[in-house]
Amino acid sequence: MVTIPSRRKRATIHDVAVEAGVSRGTVSRVVNDEPYVSAAARIAIEAAIEKVGYVPNNAARSLVMQRSEAVGFIVHEPHSLFLDDPNIGGILLGANTVLSRADYQMVSLVIDSQRDTDRVARYLSGGFVDGVIIVSARQEDPIIRVIEKLRLPAAFVGHPPDLRQLPFVGIDNRASARAITERLMQTGRRRIGMVAAALDRDSGADRLAGFTDALGDRFDPALVARVPLYTFTDGALGMRDLLDRDPLIDGVFAASDAVAAGALEALREAGRSVPGDVGIVGFDDSSWALRTQPHLSTVHQPAFGLGAAAAQCVLGQLRGEEQPAGGILLETPIVWRDSA
């Protein structure tokens, strides 16, 4: 029979005080980096902390300070997309870099159903995080109203139409989509369509609006294939749909690089060469853009910078700083490669 050793008792401030031969108040001042402790006492206490293995109880400290020293990172996407989407990964890394420098933990929360929304709402109401960063919120997203009600310091990546006065960081999806479509038009393409994805959120709707702006009188609604998500699979399905509608299509704007990669696969299956027969452009400048053959012409979305800016926004609110009205917009240059 295997004997499982009992869990070692956690060292306390009292243990440190006994070992160092000082009062618990003196130990507390050293642990909290407060003044009025002699150099000799500080050295003795630090040695005692090392010897007894004392670790401050952050949970108790949080109760006293009414701070968790954690920020939630909420992603409203299917669980599979949370893992596969390189933009979400870049935003997450940017946010975590800034938060870790400020000694804040980041807690990831994925919403893929009403049950998830209810669960996350209960979690936020429990005071487990001091603020939140929200990615991919939809119009009339219930999590927006929860954050408003709790008055949590928050920063949205993107700008749903009903965001009201809540802070956000983002890009001008509409202007960027218009610019990349106009660049595609300059290559001489005549029948230009779009695989439009994620139209239930601001990024997808704005990219379709920018595409429409660029084409003007040449816009043909029949050459817009609507798909649910920014995924390779949906890109392939959308491209097959466009080819069925108009086999003579010679230009395509895909709503993301993952969508463009799927569209390229569908074109390859159909025996269409890129960029010879069809020029295609994407959006994001993610890792997908360099995994395709040919490499994608695209719009650079600064995912890491968006995450970092969102984290700075939340930390600024926690410090009581005023946030800029109208949100923060980052630049999105066109990156021109071989696909068009």
Side-chain angles (χ1 to χ4, degrees):
M1 185 175 181
V2 178
T3 302
I4 300 174
S6 60
R7 185 177 178 182
R8 184 180 176 184
K9 183 182 177 183
R10 185 184 182 117
T12 66
I13 279 185
H14 177 75
D15 298 326
V16 176
V18 170
E19 179 65 30
V22 299
S23 70
R24 285 183 295 180
T26 304
V27 174
S28 180
R29 286 195 291 276
V30 170
V31 169
N32 293 308
D33 199 26
E34 296 174 1
Y36 310 118
V37 180
S38 69
R42 190 177 293 275
I43 291 170
I45 290 167
E46 290 171 349
I49 287 172
E50 182 71 23
K51 184 174 181 179
V52 304
Y54 172 72
V55 178
N57 188 333
N58 286 328
R61 185 181 178 191
S62 294
L63 285 173
V64 174
M65 299 178 66
Q66 295 188 321
R67 284 283 180 90
S68 67
E69 295 183 330
V71 170
F73 185 85
I74 301 174
V75 179
H76 193 157
E77 292 287 7
H79 297 104
S80 58
L81 195 61
F82 175 74
L83 296 174
D84 292 343
D85 191 317
N87 285 309
I88 294 174
I91 294 167
L92 184 149
L93 290 173
N96 189 63
T97 297
V98 170
L99 292 173
S100 64
R101 287 175 184 160
D103 289 329
Y104 272 78
Q105 300 296 331
M106 188 171 72
V107 181
S108 295
L109 304 163
V110 183
I111 295 177
D112 189 20
S113 65
Q114 184 58 50
R115 184 173 180 272
D116 287 342
T117 298
D118 295 340
R119 171 181 55 81
V120 170
R122 289 193 301 271
Y123 183 82
L124 298 180
S125 300
F128 296 105
V129 295
D130 298 330
V132 286
I133 296 165
I134 307 94
V135 180
S136 297
R138 273 59 162 180
Q139 185 172 357
E140 299 181 3
D141 197 322
I143 206 67
I144 297 176
R145 305 288 84 86
V146 170
I147 291 166
E148 282 184 328
K149 183 178 178 181
L150 294 173
R151 297 183 179 179
L152 268 176
F156 285 76
V157 178
H159 188 240
D162 56 341
L163 201 53
R164 300 174 189 167
Q165 299 302 312
L166 291 172
F168 74 93
V169 299
I171 62 173
D172 191 335
N173 282 284
R174 185 167 186 162
S176 300
R178 182 174 64 246
I180 192 81
T181 303
E182 288 172 346
R183 183 74 179 268
L184 178 61
M185 293 167 66
Q186 289 168 10
T187 66
R189 311 292 167 171
R190 290 288 177 262
R191 296 290 293 161
I192 299 177
M194 179 180 180
V195 183
L199 295 174
D200 60 343
R201 66 204 76 170
D202 63 298
S203 60
D206 285 351
R207 290 174 198 181
L208 175 56
F211 173 76
T212 306
D213 292 343
L215 286 172
D217 293 340
R218 291 175 54 187
F219 173 71
D220 182 351
L223 293 184
V224 177
R226 290 167 166 81
V227 297
L229 299 170
Y230 294 127
T231 64
F232 178 95
T233 300
D234 279 357
L237 290 171
M239 190 66 242
R240 293 184 191 115
D241 186 14
L242 283 179
L243 288 172
D244 286 342
R245 297 183 193 191
D246 187 348
L248 298 180
I249 194 167
D250 63 356
V252 175
F253 169 42
S256 79
D257 292 343
V259 171
L264 277 168
E265 181 62 25
L267 287 166
R268 189 173 292 111
E269 292 171 357
R272 308 293 295 277
S273 68
V274 176
D277 296 325
V278 181
I280 186 165
V281 296
F283 200 110
D284 291 332
D285 196 23
S286 68
S287 57
W288 280 106
L290 298 179
R291 286 157 58 184
T292 63
Q293 288 297 329
H295 293 170
L296 285 173
S297 297
T298 187
V299 172
H300 176 75
Q301 176 164 211
F304 187 94
L306 289 169
Q312 291 283 16
C313 181
V314 172
L315 292 175
Q317 292 171 66
L318 289 169
R319 292 190 293 264
E321 298 171 1
E322 289 288 327
Q323 298 305 306
I328 300 168
L329 294 179
L330 303 188
E331 295 294 320
T332 52
I334 291 175
V335 181
W336 202 253
R337 298 190 179 101
D338 297 331
S339 66

